[in-house]
Amino acid sequence: DIQMTQSPSSLSASVGDRVTITCRTSQSISSHLTWHQHKPGKAPKLLIYATSSLQSGVPSRFSGSGSGTDFTLTISSLQPEDFATYYCQQSYSTPLTFGGGTKVEIK
Amino acid sequence: QVQLVESGGGVVQPGRSLRLSCAASGFTFSDYALHWVRQAPGKGLEWVAFISYDGTNKYYADSVKGRFTISRDNSKNTLFLQMNSLRAEDTAVYFCARGFGSGSYVHDYWGQGTLVTVSS
């Protein structure tokens, strides 16, 4: 199974801050990396697929980069609606696996 | 718009069975693979199962293999998860998600989930 190591597990930030979340995989997954946003009681939301492709309707302040085993999600200017938990996920092979999540909280 | 609505959750005793459903609308159901993903209380997301657009290919997490069965009825736009021999560690919110992209392994739309509690 492909192991996903996501960091940090939580962070505190202010509106307008630049936020970076990293995800490392235990083996190369090429560009098959996805990022989701999840708020309590809501359906998770796809943000980015194939490492850097922005899902339709997702604001351009979200961006993704990386390849192989190291990947990054960046929020260029944090907005109030961005406070949530973010998960990376490899879409390379089954069993599909997720990172442990990063909870983004208000400072 | 794409909608996925899960149902069938509840409280069940260890060792018993439960069947979850996911009703889909807003897209051509028979064109897409589907997944079940779960989230235990206070934990992260865990992929559970995959079914191809026509139901011929099915994959499972090791934690549920042999106990859970994924299926679909393309005439009724509905996805199912039959859960047998339930354990306390199966307690979670269960989400259905549509598959997209290479291998259909990207989850582009999700339901809001249904809670399964396994407890005596």
Side-chain angles (χ1 to χ4, degrees), chain B residues 63-81:
Chain B
S63 58
V64 307
K65 201 173 294 182
R67 299 187 300 121
F68 289 13
T69 302
I70 189 171
S71 63
R72 62 191 297 161
D73 184 338
N74 284 350
S75 68
K76 296 183 178 178
N77 291 357
T78 305
L79 172 71
F80 301 101
L81 186 67

Side-chain angles (χ1 to χ4, degrees), chain B:
Chain B
Q1 69 282 20
V2 174
Q3 278 201 311
L4 297 166
V5 180
E6 303 91 339
S7 61
V11 180
V12 61
Q13 293 180 327
R16 304 297 290 266
S17 299
L18 204 61
R19 189 196 201 200
L20 305 184
S21 299
C22 171
S25 60
F27 65 101
T28 303
F29 184 78
S30 57
D31 283 351
Y32 288 86
L34 295 160
H35 300 254
W36 287 100
V37 177
R38 68 184 180 184
Q39 183 177 37
K43 302 294 186 181
L45 299 171
E46 179 191 15
W47 173 78
V48 173
F50 163 95
I51 187 166
S52 60
Y53 70 99
D54 60 358
T56 56
N57 294 309
K58 302 177 184 180
Y59 308 121
Y60 298 92
D62 285 347
S63 58
V64 307
K65 201 173 294 182
R67 299 187 300 121
F68 289 13
T69 302
I70 189 171
S71 63
R72 62 191 297 161
D73 184 338
N74 284 350
S75 68
K76 296 183 178 178
N77 291 357
T78 305
L79 172 71
F80 301 101
L81 186 67
Q82 177 67 42
M83 305 186 294
N84 298 333
S85 304
L86 282 161
R87 306 167 180 169
E89 54 265 35
D90 296 317
T91 294
V93 175
Y94 285 75
F95 301 97
C96 61
R98 193 178 78 166
F100 160 77
S102 175
S104 296
Y105 291 162
V106 175
H107 307 120
D108 65 343
Y109 288 94
W110 300 64
Q112 290 200 308
T114 186
L115 176 62
V116 173
T117 303
V118 184
S119 173
S120 53

Side-chain angles (χ1 to χ4, degrees), chain A residues 4-104:
Chain A
M4 311 290 289
T5 303
Q6 189 176 336
S7 62
S9 56
S10 65
L11 65 90
S12 294
S14 300
V15 172
D17 283 354
R18 182 181 182 89
V19 169
T20 299
I21 299 169
T22 64
C23 185
R24 176 165 287 175
T25 61
S26 60
Q27 65 186 74
S28 176
I29 59 169
S30 184
S31 62
H32 297 281
L33 195 284
T34 299
W35 292 96
H36 298 274
Q37 177 192 67
H38 191 203
K39 298 179 180 179
K42 298 290 188 70
K45 178 183 177 182
L46 174 64
L47 299 175
I48 288 170
Y49 62 95
T51 297
S52 59
S53 295
L54 201 64
Q55 173 68 342
S56 176
V58 174
S60 59
R61 62 180 179 274
F62 291 93
S63 64
S65 63
S67 67
T69 61
D70 291 286
F71 302 88
T72 300
L73 172 70
T74 300
I75 309 172
S76 60
S77 177
L78 198 66
Q79 297 302 300
E81 59 268 30
D82 300 338
F83 292 96
T85 300
Y86 294 83
Y87 293 93
C88 61
Q89 179 226 324
Q90 62 83 9
S91 52
Y92 181 75
S93 65
T94 61
L96 305 179
T97 45
F98 290 86
T102 297
K103 187 173 184 179
V104 176

